[in-house]
């Protein structure tokens, strides 16, 4: 399995906002069962789309400033950033096929 990158308040601007390609950020917490359920899906997406997309995890409990800045109110929250801008977000776990469809639709706007 592809290990997901981790971002925090110290490196978020560099890892996510300064990235060359789109970045899917998974806001999660240790106590959140659906957050753990989607990890294997996100690892597969990271491996299959590595040429077009980076997948990064942010622990919301450990990084409250990032969660507050992007108004993360429920977990898991997935946000897609491109050139430092938030272009898509969704709350809740998704089956892989649905997540890929939604991501592909969002990525069409950045090609």
């Amino acid at each position: 399995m592809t290990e997901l990158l981790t971002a925090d308040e110290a490196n978020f601007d560099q890892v996510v906002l300064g990235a060359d390609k789109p970045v899917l950020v998974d806001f999660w917490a240790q106590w959140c069962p659906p957050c753990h359920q989607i990890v294997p899906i996100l690892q597969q997406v990271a491996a299959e789309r590595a040429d077009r997309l980076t997948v990064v995890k942010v622990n919301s409990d450990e990084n409250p400033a990032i969660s507050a800045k992007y108004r993360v109110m429920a977990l898991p929250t997935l946000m897609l950033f491109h050139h430092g801008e938030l272009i898509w977000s969704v709350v809740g776990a998704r089956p892989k096929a649905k997540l890929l469809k939604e991501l592909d639709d969002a990525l069409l706007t950045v090609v």
Side-chain angles (χ1 to χ4, degrees):
M1 281 288 166
T2 298
E3 195 59 37
L4 301 177
L5 298 174
T6 300
D8 57 27
E9 290 168 6
N11 68 6
F12 187 85
D13 288 358
Q14 177 187 350
V15 171
V16 176
L17 304 181
D20 293 339
K21 58 186 172 183
V23 180
L24 178 64
V25 179
D26 170 29
F27 288 90
W28 71 284
Q30 191 64 41
W31 50 263
C32 165
C35 296
H36 294 283
Q37 291 172 347
I38 67 167
V39 169
I41 294 169
L42 294 174
Q43 290 172 326
Q44 292 171 15
V45 170
E48 293 169 10
R49 304 289 171 93
D51 57 328
R52 299 175 44 204
L53 180 71
T54 302
V55 181
V56 175
K57 296 177 2 174
V58 172
N59 184 315
S60 291
D61 288 343
E62 295 174 1
N63 300 282
I66 300 171
S67 297
K69 179 178 181 178
Y70 293 103
R71 296 185 178 100
V72 175
M73 305 300 247
L75 299 175
T77 293
L78 301 175
M79 294 186 175
L80 184 63
F81 292 84
H82 188 249
H83 295 304
E85 290 189 37
L86 175 62
I87 61 170
W88 174 81
S89 69
V90 67
V91 175
R94 299 263 183 290
K96 182 180 175 186
K98 182 172 183 171
L99 177 60
L100 287 175
K101 168 86 171 87
E102 292 173 338
L103 272 176
D104 287 343
D105 289 348
L107 288 169
L108 286 175
T109 66
V110 300
V111 173

